[in-house]
Amino acid sequence: MALSFREKKDCAYDAISLGEIMLRLDPGEGRIRTARQFKVWEGGGEYNVVRGLRRCFSLKTAVITAFAANEIGYLVEDFILQGGVDTSFIHWAKTDGIGRTCRNGLNFTERGFGVRGAKGCSDRANTAISKLKKEDIDLDRIFGELGVRLLHTGGIYAALSEQSGETMLAVMEAAKKHGTVISYDLNYRPSMWDAIGGVEKAQEVNREAAKFVDIMMGNEEDFTACLGLHVEGQKDLKHLDPKAYGKMQEELVKLYPNFKVVATSLRTVHSATVNDWSGICYAEGQVYEGMSFPKLEIFDRVGGGDSFASGLLYGLMEKGDPALAIQYAVCHGALAMTTPGDTTMARKEEVEALMKGSGARVLR
């Protein structure tokens, strides 16, 4: 493969993420607007990926993030510790008690059912991570002295603030200087970009970040919104043509020859609880199609794309085979959407069994 990861023996970490981690409040089968109680989880687009690499695929991972030093921050830290992800690089920011200087993000998300789509309502303005500066991170120690094989970040973190975009680019530059492979998930969220310039700003920031990226990922809409790429013949998201997305990936690599791998998850939504699910990736001049799961039954779709990403990265890092990596991606994402919460509850053995065609019969 064209990808070249640093040797495991030279690195303390297989992967590190850079991004926000929020407290997710889940009303279960009900609605946010009528809830009387919530179950809480941790979650964040970038974090979910390295958490999956740790818990499902047993790789050594850590997070670069920031929390306000209060009880909510400590609660999210406890969730991260339970997931086995190293918390050594969390920046703890002093707060004034009511969130004027900084605060921790909250994410209220309901799962949806049938004709009622999943719905999120985040409360994340002025968070500690949105104010994080490159001076708050010992970049040379992390990427140089300790060593990291992969840095994963993405468009959600980039959209938090002007500062987060600047910090992200500085971290990516430091990682690249020390030979760390960089993966990036575009993860376009219109509600986050609207207040700071909309699609135009999203494209400006993501195009700058793309210059550092080795492995670029996104869903059906991300490449158009974030990088301005057109998918030929794609008029809506009701009928997705893998060949059209493969052609788009080929064109993307011509624009950004630094991209070694480009991957796209493909989801057709029949209802909140029934989706067609698959994915494709481009590497070394070839397009590889993942397994297809038509009419896949969904329990909680949030985090499915992040588990797609962690499966892909595991396959690339540990197997060195993009054809195999896209199968890990699709199958891990499918399994993650059968359980609640943002983060995977699958094990590698289950992913590999699904890749071999295992069914859903009871295991006793």
Side-chain angles (χ1 to χ4, degrees):
M1 286 184 60
L3 277 172
S4 180
F5 292 96
R6 293 182 62 182
E7 293 287 337
K8 274 182 172 287
K9 63 181 177 60
D10 298 328
C11 296
Y13 300 99
D14 291 299
I16 284 184
S17 69
L18 170 68
E20 182 169 52
I21 309 170
M22 296 184 292
L23 185 69
R24 174 179 170 181
L25 292 96
D26 181 349
E29 287 70 41
R31 305 295 306 270
I32 296 167
R33 66 183 68 162
T34 56
R36 296 298 178 266
Q37 60 183 8
F38 293 89
K39 180 171 283 189
V40 292
W41 321 83
E42 88 281 26
E46 299 82 14
Y47 160 77
N48 294 343
V49 176
V50 297
R51 207 271 194 183
L53 286 171
R54 174 66 187 90
R55 291 298 284 168
C56 183
F57 298 108
S58 302
L59 299 187
K60 296 177 182 177
T61 66
V63 289
I64 298 173
T65 193
F67 294 124
N70 62 22
E71 297 305 305
I72 295 174
Y74 304 143
L75 172 59
V76 180
E77 179 196 31
D78 191 62
F79 279 125
I80 299 169
L81 289 167
Q82 290 178 51
V85 178
D86 194 325
T87 61
S88 300
F89 311 120
I90 292 175
H91 175 74
W92 292 97
K94 186 176 181 181
T95 185
D96 59 3
I98 63 171
R100 283 174 298 201
T101 54
C102 70
R103 53 192 291 272
N104 296 304
L106 304 177
N107 180 25
F108 294 81
T109 300
E110 59 187 52
R111 300 173 199 163
F113 187 86
V115 295
R116 175 173 59 85
K119 188 176 184 63
C121 180
S122 61
D123 181 15
R124 66 199 304 178
N126 205 39
T127 55
I129 184 65
S130 71
K131 297 170 178 287
L132 185 72
K133 298 178 180 179
K134 66 178 182 180
E135 293 80 15
D136 298 323
I137 314 164
D138 193 341
L139 295 172
D140 285 331
R141 178 171 180 267
I142 294 171
F143 294 105
E145 181 184 333
L146 294 173
V148 181
R149 300 176 70 208
L150 175 85
L151 169 69
H152 181 74
T153 189
I156 294 179
Y157 175 56
L160 286 177
S161 66
E162 292 281 353
Q163 179 62 61
S164 62
E166 293 175 14
T167 302
M168 180 185 72
L169 293 174
V171 175
M172 294 172 86
E173 185 175 9
K176 187 64 68 175
K177 181 178 76 173
H178 291 287
T180 297
V181 170
I182 297 176
S183 64
Y184 192 92
D185 194 332
L186 290 163
N187 258 333
Y188 180 63
R189 299 288 186 270
S191 60
M192 295 182 68
W193 288 104
D194 282 349
I196 57 173
V199 171
E200 292 77 14
K201 185 64 175 179
Q203 292 185 1
E204 176 191 330
V205 174
N206 283 294
R207 283 170 174 166
E208 189 64 29
K211 298 174 184 177
F212 296 97
V213 174
D214 300 290
I215 304 167
M216 178 62 83
M217 292 177 273
N219 68 17
E220 309 86 3
E221 304 169 90
D222 292 339
F223 290 96
T224 299
C226 296
L227 297 177
L229 271 292
H230 174 66
V231 181
E232 187 176 313
Q234 191 66 59
K235 297 178 181 178
D236 57 46
L237 297 176
K238 294 180 181 178
H239 303 93
L240 303 180
D241 180 3
K243 289 183 172 56
Y245 281 91
K247 188 173 181 180
M248 179 273 292
Q249 292 177 344
E250 292 176 358
E251 292 300 315
L252 186 60
V253 172
K254 292 177 184 176
L255 289 174
Y256 296 96
N258 51 293
F259 291 176
K260 309 297 190 305
V261 177
V262 181
T264 309
S265 59
L266 299 175
R267 182 197 300 270
T268 301
V269 178
H270 298 287
S271 73
T273 38
V274 176
N275 295 179
D276 294 340
W277 173 252
S278 187
I280 59 172
C281 79
Y282 176 92
E284 296 186 305
Q286 293 190 57
V287 175
Y288 300 93
E289 292 191 25
M291 296 173 66
S292 178
F293 291 93
K295 303 293 178 69
L296 178 70
E297 293 179 285
I298 307 292
F299 187 81
D300 184 349
R301 66 165 285 171
V302 178
D306 301 326
S307 290
F308 174 95
S310 58
L312 181 85
L313 294 173
Y314 172 76
L316 294 172
M317 295 174 73
E318 300 300 303
K319 305 297 183 180
D321 182 353
L324 195 57
I326 192 62
Q327 309 303 348
Y328 275 105
V330 171
C331 290
H332 189 219
L335 284 170
M337 292 186 287
T338 67
T339 53
D342 287 38
T343 58
T344 181
M345 296 182 185
R347 292 192 60 79
K348 184 177 71 170
E349 293 79 7
E350 293 175 313
V351 177
E352 292 176 338
L354 188 59
M355 289 166 62
K356 295 173 182 174
S358 69
R361 291 181 62 85
V362 167
L363 299 176
R364 302 183 191 275

